[in-house]
Amino acid sequence: MERAARSKPLALKQPVAIAALLARPASFVGKTVQVTGKITAVCQEMGCWMYLADDQGRKIRIKVNDGEIVFPNDGAGRIATAEGVFTKMTREQLIEQAQDEAESSKRPFDPASIKSGTVEYQIQGTGAVIK
């Protein structure tokens, strides 16, 4: 197991299923959670975000402040356990996220594609272990 660069040690003992987070997100907002899943994508510029997916393909984004933790660019396909605060994202954060992901994958982005009222959640990461 390797800890993502500059990651804090994981504090929680048990992960929460990604499915449970997404089924009852309001009950987890503001709480520190831990999830385990397969890495499906990683920020290719700064290593500041990654997506983890469960066996059914349900995904959650793990976001860290630039430079605080660096996820490995070649991490896709590996298993990771990540920890942080579960947060509800504002429309402005969703636009910033989508723009960042578009730039990382070198594809165009239109802010109008993020409709008002769109609700998404992510984990503001504090630590991760990648196998």
Side-chain angles (χ1 to χ4, degrees):
M1 292 188 339
E2 89 185 43
R3 201 175 317 150
R6 294 188 285 283
S7 166
K8 292 182 182 176
L10 301 181
L12 300 177
K13 301 295 180 216
Q14 289 290 347
V16 174
I18 293 171
L21 283 176
L22 300 177
R24 299 183 333 272
S27 64
F28 291 100
V29 169
K31 295 179 181 173
T32 299
V33 299
Q34 184 183 97
V35 294
T36 296
K38 185 177 196 176
I39 301 172
T40 60
V42 178
C43 173
Q44 294 299 299
E45 292 182 1
M46 306 259 323
C48 62
W49 56 260
M50 68 176 170
Y51 279 92
L52 296 183
D54 65 13
D55 293 339
Q56 287 72 45
R58 292 174 289 242
K59 292 189 272 186
I60 189 77
R61 184 176 195 248
I62 315 300
K63 172 69 173 109
V64 295
N65 295 329
D66 292 349
E68 255 181 37
I69 297 174
V70 179
F71 299 124
N73 295 41
D74 62 351
R78 295 167 69 184
I79 301 298
T81 299
E83 193 170 273
V85 178
F86 192 69
T87 59
K88 182 177 179 180
M89 299 174 68
T90 64
R91 183 172 184 271
E92 291 76 24
Q93 289 170 317
L94 289 171
I95 289 171
E96 183 180 325
Q97 167 192 321
Q99 185 160 2
D100 180 45
E101 291 177 13
E103 287 172 5
S104 180
S105 62
K106 298 183 180 12
R107 60 181 163 74
F109 170 69
D110 177 9
S113 66
I114 307 297
K115 304 296 180 207
S116 182
T118 301
V119 177
E120 286 193 34
Y121 300 88
Q122 71 177 8
I123 295 172
Q124 185 62 42
T126 55
V129 175
I130 300 169
K131 296 181 183 179

